[in-house]
Amino acid sequence: MRDLLQEIDEWGPEKVVCVSDARTGMRGVLVIDNTARGTGKGGTRMSPTVTVGEIARLARVMTWKWAAVDLFHGGAKAGIFADPDAPDKERIVRAFARRLADQIPASYVAGLDMGMTEHDAAIIQDELGDRGAAVGVPESLGGVPYDQLGVTGHGVAEAVDAALAHRGRGVAGARVALQGFGAVGAAAAKRLHELGAQLVALSTIDGSVHDPAGLDVPQWLDARAEFGDACVAKASARHRIPRGEELQVDCDVLIPAAGQDVIDESVAAEIRAGLIVEGANLPTTPNARHLLAGREITIVPDFIANAGGAIAAGFAMDARHSAFRPEPAAILRTVAERTRSNTVLVLDTAQAGGVLPHQAALDLAKERVRTAMRLRGRLPRAATACGLR
């Protein structure tokens, strides 16, 4: 078992709260990583495989993501160890909210992540009797319709366009392979189609499809809306490929928008794309990134490319106590502008400094967090001041 106490560093986590409820069987965790730049904010994940270590790792990503987009919130994440398809999901979510009533929203504002829906966010608000307790609620309750707008995927597509332009080519006609066809992947596919890109491969948890001549994106979006992940089963046999091979097809751009650590060294050695734009959190391992750099394959880091949800959450945080809904056009415009500018900044910085884009992005985020910690008097004392060597 990992000892999280031994993994605390100068950045955090500041707080780890584990909760449970015997009656519903709910088990959950909240990790507040770093609040130097503001209140802890990050999605709430529900999965039967959730671990404290996983949530701590994702909370750290949120620290860097908020700093990278230069918005004033701190890194945090929550997880519920449960099946999101369980018939008693509402009771579990309510129990989770009750057990964390002393933390939400004083230290953490709940949001959406894997396994959680707009209805679940509304339940958290209702259970705690506070509109400020969660973002991601339905539009009819004054929330930002994340999935309807496709904010994260929209930003990923804009990052693709900006990164291709940085490499001296346009997005029109670029061949794109997409792992993951959920809320993020579908929105990215839609926006890239509007920009003139050609989707040549996609996958869901049920399988993968590939057509070098290009997939009909509107048709696939319709199929996803009707059949969900099972949409791939509707593809002809000649277009079906084994799961995982969508990462290795011949293409210009690869977007991993599914799980963590899906691109390790063995997969990285077979990737044929020249550009990888990370739609999921933590899809590449450190060793894979170094191998890809050696092959001159550029990566736009996750907390730069997929920050659209965080940017939209910034609007939602402001709107929690407002009588007015945020303007969708303003949200999408800001997502595009910030994602594009941050993509170019990170790629330029990496190129100038001779470092990987992940390192350039991390250095930028760390400097912003360190500055906030210094101004608040939170920087750790020098080891020598404690008599340590």
Side-chain angles (χ1 to χ4, degrees):
M1 178 182 294
R2 294 174 57 190
D3 183 356
L4 199 57
L5 280 174
Q6 300 304 314
E7 298 186 25
I8 295 174
D9 57 23
E10 63 181 300
W11 310 104
E14 297 173 3
K15 184 187 299 184
V16 179
V17 182
C18 291
V19 294
S20 66
D21 179 75
R23 187 172 185 182
T24 62
M26 182 278 299
R27 284 180 281 172
V29 61
L30 167 64
V31 178
I32 307 292
D33 186 59
N34 188 296
T35 60
R37 287 174 58 91
T39 301
K41 179 71 195 80
T44 304
R45 171 171 293 198
M46 180 181 281
S47 166
T49 62
V50 158
T51 66
V52 174
E54 171 192 1
I55 299 303
R57 191 180 179 196
L58 292 169
R60 178 60 54 85
V61 171
M62 288 307 303
T63 295
W64 305 142
K65 188 175 293 187
W66 284 116
V69 297
D70 204 18
L71 295 177
F72 291 93
H73 292 296
K77 205 79 172 181
I80 304 173
F81 183 83
D83 181 356
D85 295 321
D88 59 344
K89 181 182 184 182
E90 180 176 329
R91 293 177 66 235
I92 293 171
V93 171
R94 287 187 181 277
F96 176 77
R98 284 196 306 274
R99 289 288 188 263
L100 286 174
D102 61 335
Q103 303 293 324
I104 302 174
S107 299
Y108 170 71
V109 176
L112 303 184
D113 200 302
M114 184 173 68
M116 295 287 280
T117 67
E118 292 181 347
H119 176 68
D120 300 320
I123 290 299
I124 292 174
Q125 282 191 353
D126 182 71
E127 183 64 31
L128 298 181
D130 188 345
R131 276 188 69 192
V135 297
V137 298
E139 187 178 18
S140 57
L141 293 179
V144 173
Y146 291 90
D147 289 351
Q148 179 183 326
L149 293 175
V151 287
T152 302
H154 186 86
V156 169
E158 295 290 341
V160 169
D161 191 14
L164 285 172
H166 189 270
R167 293 165 65 90
R169 67 158 296 174
V171 68
R175 297 166 302 144
V176 179
L178 178 62
Q179 183 191 53
F181 201 48
V184 175
K190 179 177 181 294
R191 180 58 178 156
L192 286 167
H193 178 69
E194 292 170 352
L195 293 171
Q198 183 183 55
L199 186 66
V200 297
L202 63 82
S203 70
T204 74
I205 195 170
D206 286 350
S208 307
V209 295
H210 174 227
D211 186 348
L215 299 169
D216 187 325
V217 172
Q219 179 180 319
W220 274 99
L221 291 172
D222 288 343
R224 175 187 173 273
E226 183 174 359
F227 302 108
D229 287 341
C231 63
V232 292
K234 307 301 176 182
S236 63
R238 66 190 180 91
H239 290 149
R240 298 290 298 276
I241 58 175
R243 274 190 63 201
E245 285 193 11
E246 72 279 3
L247 295 170
Q248 301 169 1
V249 301
D250 186 21
C251 61
D252 302 306
V253 183
L254 172 62
I255 303 175
Q260 299 170 206
D261 300 323
V262 295
I263 299 177
D264 57 16
E265 290 177 90
S266 62
V267 175
E270 302 299 326
I271 285 176
R272 300 163 73 184
L275 171 67
I276 298 174
V277 178
E278 297 186 326
N281 289 325
L282 307 168
T284 56
T285 66
N287 287 341
R289 292 196 286 269
H290 283 284
L291 190 154
L292 290 164
R295 297 183 58 205
E296 299 185 344
I297 297 173
T298 300
I299 304 176
V300 179
D302 50 0
F303 58 94
I304 298 298
N306 70 14
I311 296 167
F315 283 89
M317 289 288 283
D318 283 349
R320 286 177 299 153
H321 300 293
S322 173
F324 298 95
R325 291 189 179 93
E327 174 53 49
I331 295 173
L332 291 177
R333 183 170 60 250
T334 304
V335 167
E337 290 171 353
R338 289 201 177 230
T339 304
R340 296 179 71 90
S341 63
N342 280 335
T343 297
V344 173
L345 173 62
V346 165
L347 294 180
D348 279 343
T349 303
Q351 196 172 64
V355 298
L356 299 185
H358 275 79
Q359 189 61 52
L362 188 58
D363 289 345
L364 170 68
K366 282 185 173 182
E367 184 55 36
R368 288 172 175 171
V369 175
R370 184 179 290 109
T371 297
M373 291 175 69
R374 176 176 57 79
L375 292 172
R376 292 178 181 272
R378 296 188 183 183
L379 286 180
R381 292 179 296 173
T384 52
C386 300
L388 302 175
R389 293 292 185 270

